Amino acid sequence: MPALKNILKQENTRREVLVTSYVVPDAARCVQCGICSFNCPIGIDVRRHAWRGEPVKDSRCLTCGECVARCPRGVLRFERTNLFEPEKLDFRGLLEAAQQSLLVEHH
Amino acid sequence: MRHYVIIGSGPGGIAACEAIRRHDASGEIVVIGDEPYGYYSRPGLAYLLTGEISEKNLFPFSQEDYRHLGSKFLHGRANRIQPADHTVIVQNHTTHPVVYDRLLIATGSTAMRISNPGCELEGVVKLDNLDDARRIIKLARKAKTALVVGGGITALEIVEGLVSRGVKVHYFLRGDRYWSNVLDETESRVIEERLVDEGVHIHFHTELAEIIGNRGRVAGVKTTKGEMLKCDLVAVAIGVRPRKELAEASGLKTDRGVVVNDALQTSDADIFAAGDVAQVYDPLTGKSILDTLWAPARDQGYVAGLNMAGQTTFFHKEPAFNVTRLACLTTTIIGAVGRGDDPDLLGIARGDSETFRQLPDAIAAQSNFDVNRLRVLVGTSTLIGGIVMGDQTLSKAIQVIVANRVDITPIRQHLLTPGVPLGDLIADFWTRWKTTDASKQS
Ligand SMILES: Cc1cc2nc3c(=O)[nH]c(=O)nc-3n(C[C@H](O)[C@H](O)[C@H](O)COP(=O)(O)OP(=O)(O)OC[C@H]3O[C@@H](n4cnc5c(N)ncnc54)[C@H](O)[C@@H]3O)c2cc1C
Ligand code: SF4
Ligand code: SF4
């Protein structure tokens, strides 16, 4: 069963895709500890992106991977640019939409 | 103009401000907090202790952010809520009760204390807030030997912090293993071995009886078996309890926490509760439960804020999960994984959820690869929980499978076959599920 190997291989080939990807947070895992922002060599406030669930679309991002590697909770990962639509990543909006769709279902 | 009052400036309180502001540009928001620092990352305190970050890194919001929120911070302890006239009495501001139309109680939780002789000596510490962390750091400068008692994540965070500051650490466990009601035996042993490698002295079946002082300071401890240990610091992490006294005293319905409905409303329609202090209905177990987790506190605060601003919204509890570092090993705990009591904890721990211990009839399937360990709890047709230690490749997959109650019947028998490569099996299933049923994702 090669699936796990494939996923791991994706990790290994990360370097190759760095240039074409953003740092993307999984907001629900983040505890706002600030390790990412502290370790970003050019001072991007990665934590703020994690709070909002927004990818780091700062053109200054070196895609050095420092924030991804240092986050103690696996919040951050690199994702190819074309794999998501940024407007869908508004975390609060998403939550609100989800909760309100539930509301609709209730009635 | 509506008056919103929020008691507590943790993630619950802050998320409520954000939600209110999103829908009410002009309402007045007052945040009452008894810590002078306002909003900061409480889990980040663990990394402050290890020296990975400095104090200023704990604060996620800038002055600009607060201006943007347009909330007013009132430093002081809320002493009493008077639901009949919609006011809150705040310490040091007693002549000016704060008036509310909608009130949120987001007072969090607080560490339980020990009552052993000597517990009031200088050098006995807990880890609840920034003041506690500062105290530990200050004491660790001089301390040579420390004793840690308790369990769960916080006990280990203190252990790690002290070890990284060069303090020799003894760790007392009442039973025969670490965090026995969430971890299984192998997982406990993995953690214990790593602690021993770091130089920690673990004492099993050992219980603190008395703390011995010298001129008001900790000088050592005595165990229930009469053994003596010299130390100059005693750290206690035996669990936390929700700070529900305020709600209780004002006649709101409380149980283990402040009881709320699915709009996060308390027994008084104008008063809401969110975060560690709230006891919330959990559809997964059918019970009303406590979490001490950052993400649910934030989500609940947000939903409470929406309701306070008149946007009727229900809170839908996701299966609890926490990603943490135990003895430097990244560990994700998802849904129901254990049961019963832990002799080292008197209640819920920090970064904990009662869901983690709601183990119904399920069979555990597990597999080891290097230090990485994977355990999933297999229900009749779904996965109901899992623990991923080390390599986190599969933690997201398991989280989504548990949260969405994905039907795992196609692989259930395989999962339960001894010796099966669990990781591959789940990765394979996950990849297929994602491609065939991508709409269900996230
Ligand atoms: C050391 C540590 C490690 C942690 N690790 C993790 C982790 O790994 N993962 C995770 O998910 N969570 C973790 N947590 C838990 C997480 O921080 C909490 O679940 C979260 O902060 C709860 O948010 P809250 O808004 O409910 O309350 P809190 O963040 O506790 O904030 C409540 C605030 O209200 C104040 N307050 C209380 N009563 C009053 C009153 N009467 N008047 C005025 N102010 C009052 C308190 O002083 C406090 O400032 C950890 C916590 C600690 C301390
Ligand atoms: S390091 Fe990770 S957990 Fe900490 S603030 Fe950054 S993204 Fe969040
Ligand atoms: S990848 Fe590097 S440059 Fe980009 S945000 Fe992370 S730490 Fe900063």
Side-chain angles (χ1 to χ4, degrees):
Chain A
M1 259 165 278
L4 182 62
K5 279 207 195 89
N6 280 343
I7 294 178
L8 288 170
K9 204 168 128 227
Q10 277 170 21
E11 291 285 304
N12 291 336
T13 54
R14 196 160 67 189
R15 267 167 204 288
E16 294 161 32
V17 303
L18 293 194
V19 235
T20 54
S21 54
Y22 293 131
V23 173
V24 179
D26 178 358
R29 288 175 173 249
C30 175
V31 291
Q32 293 289 293
C33 69
I35 289 184
C36 51
S37 301
F38 180 55
N39 285 290
C40 174
I42 54 163
I44 293 177
D45 194 353
V46 187
R47 159 167 60 187
R48 175 181 299 267
H49 291 79
W51 176 257
R52 296 184 177 159
E54 291 165 354
V56 177
K57 295 191 104 184
D58 193 311
S59 61
R60 293 173 306 151
C61 173
L62 309 165
T63 60
C64 66
E66 200 63 20
C67 57
V68 177
R70 300 265 189 152
C71 170
R73 283 157 201 267
V75 173
L76 306 169
R77 65 183 191 282
F78 280 110
E79 219 167 75
R80 273 178 207 275
T81 49
N82 57 352
L83 277 187
F84 52 83
E85 299 120 76
E87 61 274 13
K88 281 203 182 150
L89 285 166
D90 170 6
F91 174 68
R92 294 289 99 189
L94 258 183
L95 179 72
E96 223 169 291
Q99 305 279 3
Q100 280 174 350
S101 73
L102 255 155
L103 176 69
V104 175
E105 281 168 31
H106 274 255
H107 289 270
Chain B
M1 187 177 70
R2 232 183 218 181
H3 300 276
Y4 302 95
V5 175
I6 291 163
I7 308 176
S9 62
I14 288 297
C17 290
E18 289 190 330
I20 292 167
R21 223 14 120 217
R22 202 170 169 130
H23 295 281
D24 184 344
S26 63
E28 182 197 51
I29 307 177
V30 176
V31 180
I32 303 170
D34 60 2
E35 289 186 81
Y37 317 107
Y39 168 55
Y40 63 89
S41 174
R42 219 169 279 283
L45 295 173
Y47 312 127
L48 180 67
L49 285 189
T50 57
E52 281 162 276
I53 50 170
S54 61
E55 242 181 51
K56 69 175 194 318
N57 301 122
L58 289 173
F59 296 87
F61 278 27
S62 62
Q63 284 310 315
E64 178 60 32
D65 291 316
Y66 287 113
R67 255 197 307 281
H68 197 70
L69 271 183
S71 56
K72 213 165 78 188
F73 183 68
L74 189 63
H75 178 211
R77 171 165 304 177
N79 279 340
R80 198 148 36 98
I81 302 168
Q82 307 183 120
D85 50 357
H86 280 60
T87 55
V88 181
I89 310 276
V90 183
Q91 197 177 29
N92 301 330
H93 305 268
T94 42
T95 49
H96 294 89
V98 183
V99 179
Y100 68 84
D101 295 307
R102 298 281 184 280
L103 177 71
L104 176 68
I105 302 176
T107 48
S109 52
T110 185
M112 290 201 242
R113 308 296 178 99
I114 50 169
S115 55
N116 307 54
C119 61
E120 74 298 331
L121 290 165
E122 200 190 320
V124 180
V125 296
K126 62 182 173 73
L127 182 61
D128 254 352
N129 52 41
L130 182 51
D131 284 336
D132 295 333
R134 283 182 175 172
R135 197 167 298 127
I136 295 175
I137 290 169
K138 190 163 162 235
L139 288 165
R141 279 194 203 116
K142 287 196 190 140
K144 289 199 178 64
T145 310
L147 167 69
V148 178
V149 293
I153 299 170
T154 309
L156 287 204
E157 284 174 340
I158 299 175
V159 169
E160 302 276 324
L162 291 169
V163 168
S164 63
R165 286 173 187 273
V167 180
K168 183 170 160 188
V169 179
H170 293 267
Y171 183 23
F172 284 2
L173 289 172
R174 281 179 169 168
D176 57 5
R177 63 187 182 92
Y178 168 70
W179 214 4
S180 58
N181 61 350
V182 168
L183 304 183
D184 74 0
E185 188 168 346
T186 310
E187 288 152 359
S188 296
R189 298 295 176 234
V190 168
I191 302 300
E192 290 157 9
E193 257 174 50
R194 294 174 71 92
L195 290 174
V196 171
D197 283 348
E198 287 174 30
V200 178
H201 301 257
I202 304 178
H203 304 247
F204 296 101
H205 301 291
T206 305
E207 199 174 331
L208 175 72
E210 184 180 342
I211 305 170
I212 296 145
N214 182 8
R215 287 192 230 122
R217 307 184 60 115
V218 173
V221 296
K222 197 167 153 185
T223 70
T224 47
K225 290 179 215 148
E227 290 150 341
M228 306 287 282
L229 179 80
K230 268 177 85 172
C231 62
D232 19 35
L233 199 162
V234 175
V236 180
I238 55 170
V240 296
R241 55 176 181 76
R243 292 179 74 172
K244 59 173 180 172
E245 315 80 41
L246 191 62
E248 230 160 30
S250 35
L252 299 176
K253 187 172 176 221
T254 60
D255 180 17
R256 280 159 297 148
V258 180
V259 178
V260 291
N261 64 16
D262 52 3
L264 302 178
Q265 212 163 21
T266 65
S267 52
D268 180 313
D270 292 332
I271 306 179
F272 296 75
D276 286 5
V277 76
Q279 190 175 324
V280 178
Y281 180 73
D282 173 28
L284 195 70
T285 54
K287 290 180 189 152
S288 157
I289 64 133
L290 299 172
D291 286 328
T292 47
L293 295 167
W294 182 270
R298 179 188 181 189
D299 290 348
Q300 289 168 20
Y302 199 81
V303 169
L306 290 177
N307 283 307
M308 291 164 77
Q311 306 287 313
T312 312
T313 310
F314 295 116
F315 179 74
H316 178 75
K317 196 178 178 315
E318 295 282 336
F321 86 103
N322 190 16
V323 198
T324 189
R325 238 171 24 185
L326 298 173
C328 292
L329 191 61
T330 306
T331 302
T332 306
I333 306 169
I334 306 152
V337 290
R339 71 173 100 222
D341 292 324
D342 179 339
D344 294 307
L345 290 168
L346 296 185
I348 192 166
R350 288 272 188 197
D352 195 2
S353 168
E354 289 179 343
T355 322
F356 295 157
R357 285 173 296 281
Q358 304 281 349
L359 193 59
D361 294 328
I363 313 164
Q366 57 213 27
S367 97
N368 298 295
F369 27 106
D370 301 325
V371 292
N372 303 316
R373 184 162 198 281
L374 179 65
R375 173 162 63 104
V376 288
L377 283 306
V378 185
T380 44
S381 63
T382 57
L383 291 187
I384 58 163
I387 287 200
V388 186
M389 280 181 154
D391 189 315
Q392 293 296 305
T393 313
L394 286 173
S395 72
K396 177 82 187 180
I398 294 172
Q399 187 195 329
V400 175
I401 292 172
V402 172
N404 288 284
R405 298 183 203 194
V406 175
D407 181 8
I408 51 120
T409 319
I411 56 163
R412 190 172 181 277
Q413 273 319 310
H414 273 108
L415 283 175
L416 297 175
T417 313
V420 75
L422 207 55
D424 280 336
L425 198 60
I426 292 172
D428 201 36
F429 177 74
W430 164 246
T431 317
R432 265 185 288 137
W433 182 79
K434 234 175 31 165
T435 41
T436 55
D437 216 341
S439 61
K440 276 189 198 161
Q441 255 190 87
S442 73

